[in-house]
Amino acid sequence: MKQTQEQINQLLNEIACEYNVKKLQSRKTKPCKKPPKPGAAQGNCPFEGAMVALGPITDVAHLVHGPVSCTRNPWGSRGSLSSNSQLYQMGFSTDLGENNIIFGGEKKLDKAIQEIAHRYNPAAIFVYATCVTALIGDDIENICKQAAHQVGIPVIHIDAPGFLGSKNLGNRIGGEALLEYVVGTAEPEFTTPLDINIIGDYNVAGEIWNILPLLKKLGIRVLSKITGDAHYQEICYAHRAKLNVVICSNVSLQMAQKMQERYGIPYIEESFYGVENINHCLRNIAAALGEQYLQERTEWLISEETEALNIALSFYRSQLQGKRIVLYSGGVKSWSIILAAKNLGMEVVAASDRKNTQDEKVKIKQLLGQNGMVLAKGSPKALLQAIEDTKADILVAGASNQYTALKARIPFLDVNHERHHAYSGYIGMLTMAKEFYEALYSPVWEQIRQPAPWD
């Protein structure tokens, strides 16, 4: 799908955000339109954003049309897990060289699609444009259409070259491609009144596996997972669900909004992190589906799970009480982890509001309170200053910030895509408490905080 400037503007202007609706009514500039700034860091590129959104589809071959170096980042650094096919873990690239850039890479792309289709038999092939192939003018969309007829499987062009803007834009382009070419192209074997889709969860460290058993106990079927631990076919019939549960509003809200317009599927925005959030989520799903006995079963399940969790958390709460956190993350985790930390008796003294909708930004400020600090920048210097000003005990951020924590000589907890621990649901809450405890009470901190022998 070739992206025009009008389509890009539509993806950037989020009409589903309540804050934007008010702005539109008052005829002011739409606040979510964020064009790229040459020379400025954009939080990684649209190509990576599209890969993050679509890469977890497990039985699809993800082919990067460009130099092999473009293929590096999306694989290996994302912890999305699969319970079935492992094809998504293979990195496919057309590996363009200088001659291809001069004479074009279309023939090489066609050959790569043919080879992947015959050798690996994927459910579909997603072909990602990169800066190089967009600049030299390869007609990727036409090649994909012709190849699809030849190999007999869908071959979908993902037009998200790096120079278009931010990673967030790439997330939305990926969702738009699913809506245009995948959703609605097949029918499920059967449907039930309690079918839902989960949109915006990528099954990092297996987090969706903490949630599915809870929904199964309630008799709720997850018809489609978009896209964590998903197979291509289930996304094809996502239009038959009765409810969409949106996990990451900043990148998935627009997809849910369009599915509501096209297929009449209502949506709710939820989080799986922390006791309060998961309880709220289960109640809202039950209420939205509208079955009386489902709501009664939900209350029973919440009571049972919460009681068992409180017993398991009692020791950790006693050890974590009063510990102070600087949180530098984005999206749903920014406000969700604040609530989860409060449930453990900890305090988030500073947090970022990047990659959040306007409603989420307001929520973050409310949860932090008057004395809480909202971090506008996440440079090492800014984080070190925040840690010093707040006298924080631990830094919670992405893996690239662990060295900042070491410089400050405080513990670090990874909450981004690279992590190996699932923090969702009731089980995830216990895992988070254990990780906090082990990080804070490691004996290494007492050793490194002592004065150096030469001081």
Side-chain angles (χ1 to χ4, degrees):
M1 179 177 65
K2 192 70 175 177
Q3 300 295 331
T4 65
Q5 189 59 52
E6 182 180 356
Q7 289 171 324
I8 292 170
N9 290 340
Q10 289 175 353
L11 291 173
L12 288 170
N13 297 328
E14 180 49 77
I15 60 173
C17 171
E18 292 181 7
Y19 185 83
N20 275 12
V21 171
K22 294 176 183 177
K23 288 283 188 179
L24 285 170
Q25 290 172 348
S26 60
R27 296 185 179 180
K28 294 182 180 179
T29 303
K30 302 174 184 180
C32 287
K33 184 177 179 180
K34 186 179 179 183
K37 299 177 182 179
Q42 291 288 315
N44 297 324
C45 71
F47 161 68
E48 187 185 358
M51 282 293 308
V52 168
L54 302 177
I57 304 176
T58 60
D59 56 355
V60 164
H62 301 273
L63 172 61
V64 178
H65 185 39
V68 71
S69 55
C70 289
T71 313
R72 175 199 61 81
N73 202 41
W75 278 279
S77 63
R78 304 295 166 185
S80 300
L81 301 183
S82 171
S83 59
N84 44 73
S85 174
Q86 297 298 317
L87 181 62
Y88 77 117
Q89 292 283 18
M90 297 190 67
F92 297 99
S93 172
T94 50
D95 187 20
L96 297 189
E98 290 182 3
N99 285 340
N100 303 122
I101 294 170
I102 295 169
F103 298 107
E106 293 180 0
K107 290 182 179 179
K108 200 168 188 180
L109 173 59
D110 183 66
K111 183 179 179 181
I113 294 172
Q114 302 285 343
E115 184 175 350
I116 290 170
H118 290 102
R119 180 178 292 188
Y120 297 97
N121 192 30
I125 300 174
F126 289 178
V127 179
Y128 298 82
T130 58
C131 293
V132 171
T133 49
L135 285 170
I136 66 177
D138 278 358
D139 191 355
I140 304 174
E141 186 170 14
N142 189 46
I143 294 294
C144 290
K145 288 180 180 178
Q146 293 178 3
H149 289 295
Q150 293 171 354
V151 300
I153 60 172
V155 181
I156 299 171
H157 174 209
I158 310 299
D159 187 39
F163 55 71
L164 284 186
S166 67
K167 176 182 173 182
N168 180 268
L169 173 60
N171 294 145
R172 299 184 184 194
I173 290 174
E176 190 73 8
L178 293 181
L179 282 172
E180 291 300 317
Y181 299 113
V182 184
V183 176
T185 59
E187 296 293 334
E189 293 182 6
F190 65 94
T191 60
T192 77
L194 302 182
D195 287 345
I196 69 170
N197 297 326
I198 296 178
I199 302 179
D201 183 275
Y202 304 134
N203 200 35
V204 175
E207 290 198 323
I208 196 71
W209 300 334
N210 287 351
I211 304 303
L212 295 180
L214 297 173
L215 298 174
K216 188 176 181 180
K217 285 182 179 180
L218 297 174
I220 296 171
R221 182 174 72 149
V222 177
L223 187 66
S224 303
K225 304 177 290 294
I226 305 175
T227 55
D229 193 24
H231 52 85
Y232 181 83
Q233 188 69 15
E234 71 181 80
I235 300 176
C236 293
Y237 49 67
H239 63 298
R240 294 306 182 194
K242 304 302 185 295
L243 176 69
N244 280 329
V245 180
V246 178
I247 301 303
C248 192
S249 299
N250 199 35
V251 299
S252 304
L253 193 60
Q254 200 166 51
M255 185 175 187
Q257 176 73 11
K258 289 189 176 182
M259 289 183 73
Q260 185 177 48
E261 293 172 359
R262 295 182 186 182
Y263 306 111
I265 306 173
Y267 67 88
I268 56 176
E269 303 171 53
E270 301 297 334
S271 169
F272 293 149
Y273 295 106
V275 179
E276 184 176 336
N277 286 328
I278 187 62
N279 289 350
H280 189 267
C281 175
L282 293 175
R283 287 190 176 106
N284 283 351
I285 292 174
L289 292 173
E291 184 181 284
Q292 179 181 354
Y293 293 113
L294 174 61
Q295 295 180 51
E296 294 176 3
R297 293 197 303 273
T298 301
E299 292 302 325
W300 172 83
L301 178 66
I302 288 173
S303 176
E304 181 184 56
E305 293 287 345
T306 304
E307 183 178 351
L309 183 62
N310 285 335
I311 295 171
L313 287 178
S314 58
F315 167 75
Y316 296 107
R317 283 174 173 155
S318 67
Q319 300 298 308
L320 300 175
Q321 186 71 34
K323 298 296 183 181
R324 299 162 70 84
I325 300 171
V326 168
L327 172 63
Y328 187 72
S329 185
V332 67
K333 294 188 294 293
S334 296
W335 57 270
S336 297
I337 291 178
I338 299 176
L339 281 172
K342 284 186 176 182
N343 190 263
L344 295 173
M346 306 176 76
E347 180 186 3
V348 176
V349 292
S352 71
D353 61 0
R354 65 193 185 110
K355 300 180 182 178
N356 290 102
T357 63
Q358 293 298 329
D359 290 340
E360 289 176 326
K361 290 179 180 181
V362 172
K363 185 183 293 186
I364 289 168
K365 290 180 181 179
Q366 291 175 341
L367 291 171
L368 287 175
Q370 292 183 347
N371 297 325
M373 181 187 301
V374 177
L375 301 174
K377 296 181 179 180
S379 64
K381 182 179 179 180
L383 289 176
L384 287 170
Q385 189 63 53
I387 290 168
E388 182 180 348
D389 293 344
T390 60
K391 295 180 172 53
D393 298 297
I394 187 170
L395 173 64
V396 178
S400 60
N401 297 112
Q402 61 184 316
Y403 304 106
T404 304
L406 291 175
K407 289 178 182 177
R409 293 190 283 188
I410 64 170
F412 169 79
L413 190 67
D414 184 6
V415 293
N416 278 7
H417 286 279
E418 304 89 351
R419 70 182 184 273
H420 300 286
H421 300 281
Y423 298 137
S424 64
Y426 301 105
I427 297 175
M429 187 67 187
L430 181 59
T431 301
M432 185 184 293
K434 289 179 180 178
E435 291 298 307
F436 271 127
Y437 172 76
E438 291 177 1
L440 285 162
Y441 287 94
S442 171
V444 70
W445 303 114
E446 183 180 350
Q447 297 175 29
I448 68 170
R449 287 168 183 163
Q450 294 177 2
W454 53 84
D455 288 342

